[in-house]
Amino acid sequence: MVRITPMASPIKPSLSSLRFTATARFGFPFSSSNSHRRLTSLHLGSVVPQLQSFGLRHFKLFKAESGSRSVKAAGSAAQASTSTQENVLDWAKKDNRRMLHVVYRVGDLDRTIKFYTECLGMKLLRKRDIPEERYTNAFLGYGPEDSHFVIELTYNYGVDKYDIGTGFGHFGIAVEDVAKTVDLIKAKGGKVTREPGPVKGGKTVIAFIEDPDGYKFELLERGPTPEPLCQVMLRVGDLDRSIEFYEKAFGMELLRKRDNPEYKYTIAMMGYGPEDKSVVMELTYNYGVTEYDKGNAYAQIAIGTDDVYRTAEVIKQCGGKITREPGPLPGINTKITACLDPDGWKTVFVDNIDFLKELE
């Protein structure tokens, strides 16, 4: 299972996998241009002793024809390289990808579990303690991990507070009755930061609450859905750049884009399926803001893939930064790769088959 990157100072890791460096890499065939140049030199060398017989004119013709062939060969190599890149990018769209879980840190694990189960209706799916590395994980959600997007909480021994920063936005939860849910949260002592009501410029009823650590949750009034945990909102500095990256590198689809000039922000919904049936990433651009403080609380999203090696190559081609080369994790052999998007948000890709084996 994927765990959080080690933090500075006393904070212990929840993604121990990112401490290791894998050597396995996915590569492409080398261009044949160098071998072609060697063959061309060989042909020219064999014709020089015959210059007197054929005459200088014949040699010049041969040289011109050879040069023409070299140009054609170079052009073919360039076309082959472009074709390879296009094939790899096309593969990202066909890969069997699914958002698996979102990882973040909390200061009191039992307190957070109680709030999520009693106020938000989640289930505690599993819990594991790693005393030798001084951290505990808890997985919560609205269905089993092999078919639902879930939350992975991390508690680091002795650390009771984190900085959420300004870049992280909120998580979204679809509920059938926002007002009723808000009343329940108030009764349990939860903090409501926006009372139920229509979203600005729309009809969907929403409300905002905060969990005990200050993470914001948007409650969206929606009919029955297979994926109640439905959004992760992150702020980005260049929305068009982010959309292009997530489409090409992550194989996501731009589901919709909405500009709100009155409030000076634009959002883009990205994902692997429709909003009402699957989890999406809500990327938000605030006019004129290009950088955000990410703090040390939010960690990453994990996404399933059929091939972490090819995934890493696609990310590199699209300008993403690989922070953990693809390969198996020591001890459990689950293959992963980790990367940063253009804004520095972290994502970990996990081999689909290995992930299911872990759940067993």
Side-chain angles (χ1 to χ4, degrees):
M1 180 56 59
V2 181
R3 299 197 291 267
I4 299 180
T5 309
M7 296 296 303
S9 68
I11 302 174
K12 295 298 180 179
S14 166
L15 181 52
S16 59
S17 59
L18 299 190
R19 297 177 304 170
F20 303 94
T21 302
T23 57
R25 300 179 62 145
F26 178 82
F28 297 103
F30 290 104
S31 168
S32 60
S33 57
N34 288 336
S35 59
H36 181 85
R37 283 196 295 271
R38 288 195 295 270
L39 289 172
T40 301
S41 299
L42 178 61
H43 292 161
L44 289 176
S46 65
V47 80
V48 171
Q50 305 175 37
L51 284 179
Q52 292 180 349
S53 300
F54 287 93
L56 184 59
R57 183 174 61 86
H58 294 286
F59 174 70
K60 287 181 177 179
L61 287 173
F62 180 89
K63 184 177 181 181
E65 292 173 358
S66 177
S68 176
R69 286 196 295 271
S70 297
V71 171
K72 291 179 180 178
S76 298
Q79 290 177 356
S81 176
T82 301
S83 177
T84 300
Q85 292 179 5
E86 290 176 348
N87 290 340
V88 172
L89 294 177
D90 184 58
W91 172 83
K93 294 283 187 181
K94 300 176 182 178
D95 187 20
N96 293 310
R97 296 186 176 181
R98 180 176 72 85
M99 293 170 68
L100 305 177
H101 50 256
V102 62
V103 188
Y104 53 100
R105 304 172 179 92
V106 297
D108 185 326
L109 193 59
D110 291 335
R111 177 187 64 184
T112 304
I113 291 173
K114 182 177 180 180
F115 181 83
Y116 287 5
T117 54
E118 293 184 359
C119 297
L120 300 179
M122 293 186 189
K123 297 178 181 178
L124 175 61
L125 303 173
R126 60 189 172 103
K127 187 177 179 181
R128 66 183 177 195
D129 185 40
I130 314 294
E132 62 271 21
E133 296 190 35
R134 297 178 58 80
Y135 73 85
T136 307
N137 288 139
F139 296 79
L140 297 100
Y142 295 99
E145 292 178 65
D146 60 357
S147 58
H148 288 73
F149 185 65
V150 306
I151 288 171
E152 179 182 341
L153 301 176
T154 295
Y155 168 69
N156 292 289
Y157 291 9
V159 184
D160 60 7
K161 191 174 182 179
Y162 295 93
D163 175 20
I164 294 178
T166 59
F168 170 78
H170 63 259
F171 303 112
I173 296 180
V175 299
E176 294 188 38
D177 190 326
V178 168
K180 185 177 180 180
T181 303
V182 166
D183 288 341
L184 172 63
I185 291 170
K186 287 180 178 179
K188 295 289 185 178
K191 183 179 179 180
V192 177
T193 59
R194 187 210 192 264
E195 293 292 336
V199 65
K200 293 177 181 178
K203 297 180 180 179
T204 303
V205 176
I206 67 167
F208 273 92
I209 65 166
E210 284 187 8
D211 77 356
D213 289 274
Y215 291 100
K216 291 181 174 60
F217 284 79
E218 180 182 16
L219 305 179
L220 302 98
E221 194 157 278
R222 187 179 291 176
T225 173
E227 195 69 275
L229 184 58
C230 59
Q231 288 181 5
V232 177
M233 192 276 260
L234 302 174
R235 298 181 176 94
V236 298
D238 184 328
L239 190 58
D240 290 336
R241 177 186 65 182
S242 295
I243 290 172
E244 181 179 14
F245 179 81
Y246 280 92
E247 282 183 323
K248 291 184 176 179
F250 285 13
M252 288 186 179
E253 179 184 354
L254 174 61
L255 303 171
R256 64 184 173 96
K257 184 178 179 182
R258 186 180 78 237
D259 185 35
N260 297 273
E262 182 180 357
Y263 302 102
K264 297 184 177 181
Y265 73 90
T266 309
I267 65 170
M269 298 294 189
M270 311 284 298
Y272 297 110
E275 285 184 68
D276 61 340
K277 296 180 180 179
S278 58
V279 63
V280 300
M281 292 189 66
E282 178 180 343
L283 304 178
T284 298
Y285 167 70
N286 292 293
Y287 290 10
V289 184
T290 58
E291 293 184 3
Y292 293 93
D293 173 20
K294 295 179 179 60
N296 64 354
Y298 174 86
Q300 70 231 2
I301 286 177
I303 298 176
T305 175
D306 286 340
D307 191 327
V308 296
Y309 300 97
R310 297 183 75 178
T311 292
E313 285 302 325
V314 173
I315 291 168
K316 290 175 183 178
Q317 288 185 20
C318 295
K321 180 180 179 181
I322 298 296
T323 57
R324 203 273 186 192
E325 290 291 343
L329 294 172
I332 60 176
N333 293 321
T334 295
K335 295 181 287 295
I336 73 163
T337 188
C339 69
L340 301 180
D341 76 356
D343 289 275
W345 293 114
K346 183 180 294 182
T347 300
V348 175
F349 284 86
V350 184
D351 181 271
N352 285 324
I353 295 177
D354 292 346
F355 177 70
L356 293 178
K357 288 180 180 177
E358 278 194 46
L359 296 181
E360 293 175 357

